[in-house]
Amino acid sequence: MTNIDLSSQVALVTGASRGIGAAIAKILGRAGAHVIVNYLKNDDLAQEVVRDILSSEGSAEAFQFDISNEDAVGRAIDDIITRYQRIDILVNNAGISKDALFLRVKPEMLNEMIEVNLKGTFFCTSHAARYMIKQRRGRILMVSSIVGLGGNPGQSVYATTKAGLIGMMKSFSKELGPRGIRVNAIAPGLVDTGMTEGIDREAIIKEIPLRKIGSPDEVAGVILFLCSELSSYITGQVIVVDGGLYA
């Protein structure tokens, strides 16, 4: 088995205080990267992720900033470069979902999901990419969703933003590929996180060929692969991680 070694690399994971983001941060830390655990509100959870990485002899720090605020993003990325002189990996994981039938969607719900899911990802990518271009190397990942591929009742806005991430990723991959930067996306299905609480899991499990809900670690493993040299000829792609549900 090939061991993935990300030693000396700097990785920024947005929305990494819990769920899929926390699992991604931990697996990158175990692979040797210095992981910057971005969060918005919950410092305690972010510090817990950092402690977990440090306990496995990894390197990490928590960094609070709002990805929907471009000035804050710019200052954060500049600070990372000042301190480490590089940024090798960006995982755009932060996102929100506010469900409602589309005829009941309020303008503020629409605006908030666009601000975080789309504009926040665009801001983080554009600021990080400026430095990756100078390095002529980098990996950028978008965490989309199978809802962005197939839609879902009550999630029209969420689906729109997650589909938008895929279009964004494909465009970025074409612009940045010649500069040595790979850009890909993953589309998780039903994953055991706080965002899936309250749904009828048993009914959905019956529709999943693997007959189980995915874990954050199973999603994080795909991200690790896409950050490694094992995926050196993959860019502009969406990897579906859903136990066969969307197939």
Side-chain angles (χ1 to χ4, degrees), residues 7 35 81-82 125 128 137 140-141 145 170 188 207 237 241:
S7 298
V35 183
I81 297 300
T82 297
T125 302
R137 186 177 187 277
I140 298 169
L141 285 304
S145 168
K170 287 186 175 290
E207 303 298 322
Q237 303 304 310
V241 190

Side-chain angles (χ1 to χ4, degrees), residues 1-11 23-35 52-54 56-60 89 139 220-221 223-230:
M1 179 179 179
T2 301
N3 291 322
I4 293 175
D5 184 2
L6 302 179
S7 298
S8 79
Q9 298 187 37
V10 175
I24 292 169
K26 291 174 185 178
I27 201 169
L28 295 180
R30 289 196 295 271
H34 175 72
V35 183
D52 186 281
I53 295 170
L54 296 178
S56 60
E57 300 184 353
S59 176
I89 297 165
R139 276 88 72 222
I223 291 286
L224 178 61
F225 165 72
L226 291 171
C227 289
S228 76
E229 290 306 306
L230 295 175

Side-chain angles (χ1 to χ4, degrees), residues 53-101:
I53 295 170
L54 296 178
S55 70
S56 60
E57 300 184 353
S59 176
E61 65 184 274
F63 199 161
Q64 189 277 334
F65 62 90
D66 181 357
I67 68 164
S68 68
N69 182 323
E70 185 177 12
D71 289 340
V73 171
R75 289 193 298 270
I77 299 293
D78 287 347
D79 179 72
I80 291 167
I81 297 300
T82 297
R83 291 187 293 123
Y84 300 106
Q85 291 77 54
R86 63 187 304 117
I87 181 166
D88 302 281
I89 297 165
L90 168 64
V91 182
N92 290 297
N93 168 76
I96 59 172
S97 175
K98 297 195 172 183
D99 299 349
L101 296 174

Side-chain angles (χ1 to χ4, degrees), residues 113-147:
M113 279 189 270
I114 289 173
E115 288 289 325
V116 176
N117 298 0
L118 282 177
K119 293 174 71 173
T121 296
F122 190 95
F123 295 154
C124 290
T125 302
S126 61
H127 282 277
R130 288 182 172 91
Y131 293 103
M132 290 180 177
I133 288 170
K134 294 177 182 178
Q135 298 168 181
R136 298 199 65 82
R137 186 177 187 277
R139 276 88 72 222
I140 298 169
L141 285 304
M142 316 292 199
V143 178
S144 181
S145 168
I146 60 168
V147 175

